[in-house]
Amino acid sequence: MNDLLLKSRNKQRQQRLRHEVSRLYLSLTDLIPMDTESTFFENPPQTVAVGQPLSRVDGRAKVTGAAKYSAEYNHLPGMVHAVIKTSDVAKGRVTGFDLSAAQREPGVLAILTHQNLPKPALTAETKEGKEAIGYSVQMTFMPLQSDQIFYAGQPVAIVVADTLEHAQQAAAKLRVSIAAEAPIASYQDTKAPRYNPGGKPDADAEGTKRRGKAAEAFAAAPAQVTATYSHATNHHSPMEPSATIAHWEAADRLTVYDATQGVSWQQRALSAILGLPQDQVRVITKYLGGGFGCKGPIWPHSVLTALTAKAVGRPVKLVLTRPQMFTSVGHREDQEQTLRLGATKQGKLLALLHEKTSTTSPWDDYAETNSKFMGMLYQCPNFEATTKLVKGNVMTPTWMRAPGEAPGSFALESSMDDLAYQLGLDPVQIRLVNHADKDPATGQPWSSKSLKQCYQRGAELFGWSKRNPKNGLTRDGKYLVGWGMATATYPVNDSQGNARVRLFADGHAVVQVAATDLGTGTYTVITQVAADCLGIAPDKVRFELGDSALPTTNISGGSMGAGTFASSVYTAAQDLWQKLTKMAVTDAKSPLFRAKPAEVEVVKGRLQLKANPAKGEDFAALMKRGSLTDLEGFGQGKYGAGYEAAQSGAPAPAKPDDAGKESGHAMYSFGAHFCEVRVDPELGTVRITKWVSVVAGGRILNPKTARSQVLGGATMGIGAALMEQTVRDPNLARYTNASLADYHVPVNADIPDMTVEFIDEHDPYINALGVKGIGEIAIVGTAAAVGNAIFHATGRRLRSLPMTPDKVLEAMRQPV
Amino acid sequence: MNDFSYTQATTAKEATGRTKDQPQAAYIAGGTTLLDLMKANLQEHPQLVDINTIPFKGIEQTKDGLRIGAMERMSDVGENKLVLEQFPAISESLLLAASPQLRNMASIGGNILQRTRCGYFRDAAFPCNKRVPGSGCPALEGDNHNLAVLGTSDSCIATAYPGDLSVALAAFDAVLTLENQKGKQRQVPVKDFYLLPGNTPQKETVLEAGELIVAITIPAAAHAQRSTYLKVRERSSYAYALASAAVGLDVHGGTIRSARVALGGVGTKPWRSPEAEKALVGQPATEATFRAAAAAALRGAQPRKENAFKVELAQNTLVQALMKVAG
Ligand SMILES: Cc1cc2nc3c(=O)[nH]c(=O)nc-3n(C[C@H](O)[C@H](O)[C@H](O)COP(=O)(O)OP(=O)(O)OC[C@H]3O[C@@H](n4cnc5c(N)ncnc54)[C@H](O)[C@@H]3O)c2cc1C
Ligand code: SF4
């Protein structure tokens, strides 16, 4: 019903606009105000390149080393190297520095501490500062402003030298005296108060969310499951460590080569912090070696590099060491979730109560928003979610691939599995029983949802129908074999951004967006989109990104990148075709002379009459006749709720968190994972031997890069499930395994040959091209699928991540 | 990392000569342990003497076994036909270690001298008795998940040798040939090469200052030919052992004639277990015997909060390894 209404409203509006435009044409011959609506392509445009498994356009540059990462701009005149000296202890006060030995080291140019580092114009510690810096600030604290130490690894000094080695050695020789105090390591410390951040004015965490009467409904429910889950601290651990090169090209003009997921965000944040007009700060990130969220926000090291460069009057390069990557760019917080499910005997959910406790920093009320996921995945009338925090001596945690959904899904999807076993239902069946036909949180219809198809196709590919309904019964030699599955979902977050397309009469084009490519394939998929929008081959398109001087856009994060950039390029192409159409209909030599623009369509770069396609001409002919070598189009594209609002004429959502409330549809990707494990009950080892992921993620721009995203997401989920954990010493609050030898991420031997499929979806509400993000969804539900398979194999439920051999052995000692 | 001088030595004499009167000097072989420690400022060496150019090479058949030069690479030894045939456990211990890149670079002499992965030792910000004697041991009440349950002391509970090769070498009676600065050679069995931490966890081996590992000799034996190395870890590859077992059995008519057992990942040094061997010899090669041997091996274990699982894990690892060689 709603869908129909929107469609007809849109149609009316478009017709009205077209009518107005044509009327103007009749009365004006010179200056014609152009229609800014998308009228040239049917939505979506004919696809030639889109949907093809095009290999990465940047692949050759990467394998030959031609691709320049942020730390590789070594040609800057007089560039010097900075090394951050960090605090050994997690709490205390700096009482003094002994610089003598460090200063004697060769090549040392400066040693900067809180006593002599130039001050930023503002920090996020004040409300105004936070607002000016924008959404990208996660940690409001800025180190090196005072003698206070709040976390181990906090910067206490910056050493600058002519070479990296000299700076490192001088930093090692620098002595810092700190009066240490006893820190709080985590929420598990019983001395630390737990608090509910709800109601605090700028709490990132949510406090309490409610609908219905969850406690009463749970108490009365005939079937109940209560369980507590824990999730270890995880670190993003991208291959490329964060790096910043700051170059003051003039006293008030700064260029920064920074490993960031969002050059526009970084530009805004840095200009606010440094007190510069935004256009005087340029941020460049041409290639990124992974981010997973940790390169989304602005972190102190980028600011400190700019301040250091100011202090020494030369370009400064700073590259974080691998150990520093564990204390400089956030992490997924250690957390505990208690979940209570109440259901009917048929497995229909009646109540869901969720309580989460996690560790945050001394300054910020940060918590992943697990409750959003909890409240929307299944139909359930009564819901309550509470977030509690403990302030520990750690830096502020941050978004890590599917923040909230990933740990939340481990709890919910494990408990759903419990409920299925308790009631003798197949795990897929109980999910179908509770399938939400509209968003339980808002009551909105889904813009599209193909979850049932994901279950069905996944089950087919996996051979789920052969599953033994009883657990602990399948053996293969010494191994216990088990099958598990879980649901995945991820929201289409509200986003927007700009793009420019420049089409040349010789048939090639330059397309520009201040986007970033984390290694995911942005260069490639946007090249494909641009090729189709312009009606030329992908190898005729050069897509430029990673420079804040280009049209500004959102970060590559929150799975918003592909959709936002694609729709802005689409809109920019519309703008271009409108200009060309105007040229054609006013050019006496054009076959389209005096045609109404609304009657003109563009097919593969040819402008022609809709009613008589034979009448028309190629853009090249038109441009050449007009002595144009090139022409530009500019577009502002929207992704998610804002797009739907704009299409339907409703006011745009005020801020990202409000998205959905004013829009017509709830917007999510969905998926399902199926997993087989072999558990050695005596050694406690778990190996994944079969994996199927099926994802419904809107239009798949490129099945090859999309598949890689799902492989990567599921692999990262398997890491969280079986091995990833950063350990903070309980007494000293310092990590004991801050290296990639000791923080284990999966290797090839951990991952079987995975099967990935997509369900074809056409979603008209989310953006012009129907693209949903797929960067995060595959990590969601993965750990639960593994845990559910372990339960099926062993009859034991593991509720603490990662599910390492010690925990498996412990569980095996328990009676079934 | 500090600045250092670098020289290459072509003979043992030249190498030991260079470290005379230079107590801070170090030999560098593959550098995969040494450079990591230097970059983290855990060890400082003003002089590095490269020993890759010394001909401590060759994997040779001798009249009672094999002699392997200390400079042979882990990958070459692991894949060697003689080693595979006569000491499958040693081959496996090498090929299950580290990564292909590291194995191609690392020497077996360097492997024997690798240092603990205790997280407190590996980060100079922490106190650690092994690194700074008398500074304390935070692992006792902290993160001891990966640390030892056998041979521990109140000073240190680290698996001082966290690797694999020496576990297999200790099991099969390998002997190291060492050469000191006076040019004198001596023979030290691997099982006696490592020291228990006691009150001096900083002293890990009997190696004297400047002394070189020249070669390893391993006696051929029926129990060595029927041997295996089983390694348990969270990640399937490229990880140190939570627990491992090097075992060899000589079984005749169902009865064990001789047995060799060493455990890795659970002792403060590669843990040869005469107790387990005693429980095996003369007994039928059955699971019950293996369980008894495993219990004997772990009898003295002192588990802590995070590593208590290793007592059971090590026993099960040992039993599985024995079951495998028993066939
Ligand atoms: C990430 C990672 C994972 C690893 N995983 C494993 C694993 O799973 N299992 C495993 O067993 N090992 C593992 N290792 C350790 C690896 O095997 C050792 O680093 C390697 O064997 C050391 O050999 P090298 O030749 O590089 O020694 P170097 O680093 O060159 O030397 C190490 C030490 O030995 C001394 N030295 C070297 N040769 C001699 C000699 N002939 N005489 C006297 N002194 C000598 C050096 O002075 C130095 O003190 C891992 C290492 C890393 C970095
Ligand atoms: S166990 Fe040993 S190596 Fe580890 S902290 Fe204690 S003393 Fe240091």
Side-chain angles (χ1 to χ4, degrees):
Chain A
M1 182 63 199
N2 240 341
D3 298 20
L4 282 177
L5 255 180
L6 182 83
K7 271 186 199 147
S8 76
R9 217 176 335 149
N10 264 342
K11 203 163 193 137
Q12 281 169 17
R13 189 150 172 266
Q14 292 195 352
Q15 277 166 356
R16 201 177 63 233
L17 277 163
R18 284 177 198 184
H19 177 71
E20 280 166 15
V21 172
S22 354
R23 201 160 39 80
L24 283 167
Y25 270 108
L26 292 178
S27 55
L28 294 169
T29 45
D30 263 339
L31 241 189
I32 305 167
M34 292 311 297
D35 182 357
T36 54
E37 287 295 303
S38 316
T39 57
F40 286 91
F41 302 130
E42 282 318 309
N43 182 6
Q46 310 101 325
T47 55
V48 181
V50 163
Q52 296 304 312
L54 189 69
S55 289
R56 282 159 198 270
V57 298
D58 51 339
R60 190 182 166 81
K62 282 187 171 168
V63 297
T64 56
K68 247 187 189 187
Y69 289 79
S70 300
E72 297 180 321
Y73 290 80
N74 292 320
H75 64 283
L76 301 175
M79 188 178 78
V80 292
H81 300 262
V83 163
I84 294 185
K85 175 89 176 176
T86 61
S87 171
D88 289 353
V89 303
K91 190 177 183 198
R93 202 170 59 77
V94 176
T95 55
F97 297 94
D98 180 355
L99 309 179
S100 51
Q103 275 164 340
R104 274 199 304 276
E105 286 294 321
V108 174
L109 297 167
I111 299 175
L112 300 163
T113 69
H114 68 274
Q115 294 158 347
N116 60 346
L117 182 77
K119 293 273 173 263
L122 59 78
T123 69
E125 283 158 348
T126 62
K127 195 163 172 287
E128 305 73 63
K130 196 172 176 183
E131 271 165 16
I133 295 166
Y135 201 55
S136 77
V137 67
Q138 291 273 281
M139 183 159 89
T140 52
F141 172 72
M142 178 58 70
L144 282 166
Q145 306 301 303
S146 83
D147 59 359
Q148 296 296 310
I149 303 293
F150 294 100
Y151 58 99
Q154 178 183 323
V156 291
I158 298 166
V159 178
V160 187
D162 56 349
T163 67
L164 173 64
E165 291 75 15
H166 284 151
Q168 283 172 335
Q169 184 56 9
K173 292 275 182 260
L174 174 63
R175 293 281 157 261
V176 186
S177 313
I178 298 175
E181 294 164 44
I184 299 291
S186 81
Y187 71 84
Q188 293 178 42
D189 189 328
T190 47
K191 292 192 298 295
R194 295 183 173 207
Y195 67 97
N196 181 332
K200 279 204 168 193
D202 33 53
D204 286 321
E206 305 154 319
T208 305
K209 276 189 182 169
R210 268 192 201 95
R211 66 171 181 262
K213 294 192 167 157
E216 287 92 325
F218 175 78
Q224 296 179 341
V225 172
T226 299
T228 297
Y229 299 88
S230 67
H231 196 299
T233 305
N234 279 181
H235 277 82
H236 313 69
S237 303
M239 291 268 271
E240 178 205 23
S242 292
T244 307
I245 298 176
H247 181 198
W248 290 85
E249 305 200 34
D252 60 350
R253 200 170 76 241
L254 175 69
T255 298
V256 180
Y257 306 86
D258 197 38
T260 175
Q261 290 173 227
V263 289
S264 300
W265 277 26
Q266 201 75 345
Q267 177 193 37
R268 172 175 169 189
L270 281 171
S271 66
I273 294 169
L274 299 171
L276 295 171
Q278 197 160 325
D279 64 297
Q280 294 290 82
V281 176
R282 183 171 173 198
V283 180
I284 293 171
T285 310
K286 288 292 177 187
Y287 294 93
L288 206 67
F292 311 111
C294 78
K295 292 171 183 164
I298 181 142
W299 296 110
H301 69 270
S302 301
V303 177
L304 295 176
T305 309
L307 294 173
T308 301
K310 182 115 224 176
V312 300
R314 295 166 77 163
V316 169
K317 184 204 288 199
L318 175 97
V319 183
L320 295 182
T321 64
R322 184 55 67 178
Q324 286 174 345
M325 282 300 286
F326 287 82
T327 52
S328 308
V329 291
H331 53 271
R332 194 192 300 283
E333 74 265 20
D334 43 324
Q335 56 192 280
E336 193 174 279
Q337 305 173 73
T338 296
L339 191 62
R340 285 183 283 164
L341 299 182
T344 66
K345 284 260 179 275
Q346 292 72 42
K348 239 182 156 18
L349 288 176
L350 299 169
L352 192 163
L353 287 100
H354 178 251
E355 191 180 314
K356 174 184 167 185
T357 306
S358 62
T359 314
T360 186
S361 68
W363 330 276
D364 302 309
D365 298 317
Y366 179 91
E368 292 185 316
T369 52
N370 304 32
S371 64
K372 182 173 183 201
F373 168 86
M374 293 286 162
M376 58 66 65
L377 191 59
Y378 297 115
Q379 191 51 51
C380 180
N382 302 291
F383 171 73
E384 185 172 318
T386 309
T387 299
K388 291 201 175 128
L389 291 174
V390 168
K391 289 198 177 295
N393 288 100
V394 293
M395 75 176 305
T396 306
T398 193
W399 315 305
M400 178 164 163
R401 209 172 199 165
E405 291 83 8
S409 64
F410 175 59
L412 179 52
E413 289 296 273
S414 299
S415 281
M416 287 299 282
D417 206 56
D418 275 339
L419 193 61
Y421 279 95
Q422 194 187 105
L423 299 172
L425 291 172
D426 183 279
V428 175
Q429 186 56 31
I430 197 162
R431 286 165 171 87
L432 290 172
V433 165
N434 289 291
H435 184 269
D437 296 331
K438 53 187 187 175
D439 182 357
T442 62
Q444 293 168 313
W446 307 105
S447 63
S448 60
K449 179 174 183 178
S450 314
L451 180 56
K452 287 179 180 168
Q453 292 93 310
C454 293
Y455 292 142
Q456 196 194 338
R457 184 65 185 140
E460 244 169 60
L461 289 166
F462 190 85
W464 187 256
S465 61
K466 295 191 215 74
R467 172 180 171 273
N468 188 333
K470 290 243 164 8
N471 57 27
L473 290 184
T474 311
R475 266 200 176 258
D476 174 13
K478 66 171 181 169
Y479 298 108
L480 299 172
V481 184
W483 290 1
M485 59 80 56
T487 311
T489 187
Y490 193 80
V492 172
N493 290 315
D494 188 51
S495 167
Q496 62 177 16
N498 302 320
R500 182 186 299 126
V501 301
R502 185 171 176 201
L503 183 64
F504 290 81
D506 71 358
H508 74 271
V510 175
V511 176
Q512 297 177 321
V513 182
T516 52
D517 184 335
L518 278 64
T520 52
T522 311
Y523 270 114
T524 310
V525 298
I526 301 304
T527 298
Q528 290 171 273
V529 168
D532 283 359
C533 289
L534 297 173
I536 56 182
D539 64 2
K540 295 283 185 287
V541 175
R542 191 170 85 240
F543 176 43
E544 293 181 349
L545 54 66
D547 185 339
S548 65
L550 303 177
T552 55
T553 194
N554 207 336
I555 63 162
S556 292
S559 297
M560 300 178 289
T564 309
F565 312 147
S567 17
S568 56
V569 167
Y570 170 87
T571 317
Q574 297 289 352
D575 183 39
L576 177 77
W577 292 125
Q578 277 157 2
K579 287 179 183 162
L580 283 167
T581 304
K582 176 191 156 190
M583 272 177 63
V585 300
T586 55
D587 177 350
K589 295 206 180 102
S590 170
L592 297 170
F593 183 53
R594 290 192 193 279
K596 294 175 186 165
E599 290 167 356
V600 176
E601 63 177 1
V602 181
V603 176
K604 294 185 186 167
R606 185 181 143 86
L607 300 102
Q608 60 194 30
L609 282 183
K610 283 178 193 164
N612 179 14
K615 203 165 172 190
E617 63 177 329
D618 194 72
F619 69 85
L622 176 62
M623 284 167 79
K624 278 177 191 147
R625 209 172 41 247
S627 298
L628 281 181
T629 53
D630 62 308
L631 194 65
E632 283 187 5
F634 190 86
Q636 192 192 30
K638 290 181 193 292
Y639 174 76
Y643 175 78
E644 185 179 13
Q647 291 297 104
S648 63
K655 58 177 190 201
D657 292 346
D658 292 344
K661 287 177 194 151
E662 286 146 71
S663 67
H665 289 81
M667 302 171 175
Y668 288 84
S669 299
F670 290 93
H673 303 294
F674 292 80
C675 164
E676 178 185 87
V677 295
R678 276 177 166 62
V679 180
D680 186 321
E682 293 185 347
L683 304 182
T685 47
V686 178
R687 298 293 177 247
I688 313 242
T689 47
K690 194 154 119 189
W691 189 272
V692 172
S693 293
V694 179
V695 171
R699 171 187 293 276
I700 298 303
L701 295 171
N702 178 328
K704 199 179 205 172
T705 53
R707 176 172 180 272
S708 296
Q709 282 286 67
V710 174
L711 293 182
T715 299
M716 205 163 179
I718 290 170
L722 296 180
M723 61 195 83
E724 291 191 39
Q725 61 178 327
T726 341
V727 180
R728 275 195 301 280
D729 178 87
N731 305 305
L732 302 169
R734 185 179 174 89
Y735 292 115
T736 61
N737 62 336
S739 81
L740 290 185
D742 303 299
Y743 179 85
H744 289 159
V745 299
V747 294
N748 280 315
D750 293 302
I751 306 298
D753 187 11
M754 292 174 153
T755 302
V756 174
E757 268 201 16
F758 296 97
I759 301 290
D760 205 21
E761 274 187 331
H762 297 282
D763 190 326
Y765 304 105
I766 50 180
N767 52 64
L769 294 152
V771 176
K772 291 177 177 177
I774 48 163
E776 286 158 279
I777 183 167
I779 197 177
V780 183
T782 291
V786 175
N788 294 344
I790 295 174
F791 184 68
H792 186 230
T794 65
R796 269 78 168 188
R797 176 69 63 187
L798 275 82
R799 302 188 197 273
S800 168
L801 295 185
M803 298 178 277
T804 43
D806 52 319
K807 293 176 189 165
V808 175
L809 287 179
E810 165 77 34
M812 292 311 298
R813 276 199 295 273
Q814 309 306 320
V816 181
Chain B
M1 178 159 60
N2 61 291
D3 283 351
F4 54 84
S5 69
Y6 168 85
T7 54
Q8 289 179 330
T10 49
T11 62
K13 196 155 173 264
E14 204 183 322
T16 54
R18 297 252 168 86
T19 58
K20 252 183 220 157
D21 314 318
Q22 305 285 358
Q24 297 298 319
Y27 300 124
I28 178 164
T32 62
T33 283
L34 187 75
L35 294 178
D36 269 9
L37 294 169
M38 289 178 71
K39 285 188 216 161
N41 297 309
L42 302 170
Q43 286 182 197
E44 266 192 36
H45 302 291
Q47 290 99 15
L48 292 189
V49 180
D50 191 337
I51 55 173
N52 287 288
T53 33
I54 304 180
F56 287 169
K57 290 279 170 65
I59 303 173
E60 296 151 21
Q61 189 77 57
T62 65
K63 66 178 188 324
D64 11 274
L66 286 185
R67 182 182 190 281
I68 307 173
M71 287 311 309
E72 287 291 337
R73 306 290 155 185
M74 286 171 72
S75 46
D76 292 336
V77 180
E79 286 155 16
N80 182 275
K81 199 162 162 281
L82 298 175
V83 177
L84 268 163
E85 280 167 10
Q86 297 169 39
F87 304 97
I90 291 176
S91 165
E92 289 166 33
S93 77
L94 286 163
L95 298 182
L96 292 171
S99 66
Q101 295 91 328
L102 284 159
R103 296 197 294 267
N104 286 340
M105 198 70 197
S107 67
I108 56 166
N111 184 297
I112 291 168
L113 291 171
Q114 63 180 282
R115 304 200 68 190
T116 184
R117 295 304 310 187
C118 172
Y120 301 97
F121 173 83
R122 293 259 164 186
D123 177 353
F126 281 117
C128 165
N129 285 331
K130 189 186 277 302
R131 191 165 25 77
V132 183
S135 61
C137 174
L140 296 174
E141 303 301 326
D143 174 18
N144 47 46
H145 186 264
N146 296 332
L147 304 186
V149 294
L150 289 165
T152 57
S153 75
D154 291 344
S155 298
C156 180
I157 58 171
T159 44
Y161 174 86
D164 302 295
L165 172 65
S166 289
V167 180
L169 293 179
F172 298 103
D173 308 296
V175 175
L176 302 180
T177 302
L178 309 178
E179 181 169 328
N180 72 10
Q181 291 172 332
K182 295 191 189 101
K184 243 187 95 156
Q185 293 205 345
R186 60 171 173 148
Q187 312 283 321
V188 178
V190 169
K191 72 177 172 48
D192 303 328
F193 181 72
Y194 297 97
L195 301 170
L196 290 175
N199 290 327
T200 52
Q202 70 277 18
K203 183 94 185 99
E204 295 176 335
T205 70
V206 302
L207 200 72
E208 292 167 13
E211 201 171 19
L212 280 169
I213 301 177
V214 175
I216 304 166
T217 49
I218 326 158
H223 54 238
Q225 218 166 2
R226 194 166 170 180
S227 69
T228 194
Y229 185 77
L230 179 62
K231 181 174 179 180
V232 183
R233 41 197 166 162
E234 286 153 16
R235 172 157 81 177
S236 306
S237 174
Y238 197 22
Y240 290 90
L242 289 171
S244 68
V247 302
L249 291 179
D250 179 16
V251 185
H252 261 252
T255 302
I256 301 167
R257 284 214 301 217
S258 71
R260 290 293 181 274
V261 172
L263 296 171
V266 291
T268 51
K269 62 176 198 169
W271 201 259
R272 175 79 179 260
S273 178
E275 298 85 355
E277 290 169 10
K278 208 171 137 213
L280 291 166
V281 175
Q283 301 299 314
T286 60
E287 185 171 349
T289 303
F290 302 153
R291 291 246 161 246
L298 271 293
R299 197 147 287 142
Q302 282 197 305
R304 298 191 170 260
K305 189 162 166 241
E306 307 289 336
N307 69 3
F309 71 98
K310 285 196 171 183
V311 178
E312 183 188 353
L313 179 62
Q315 293 186 46
N316 292 348
T317 306
L318 186 47
V319 171
Q320 282 201 7
L322 288 165
M323 298 281 282
K324 187 175 162 205
V325 287

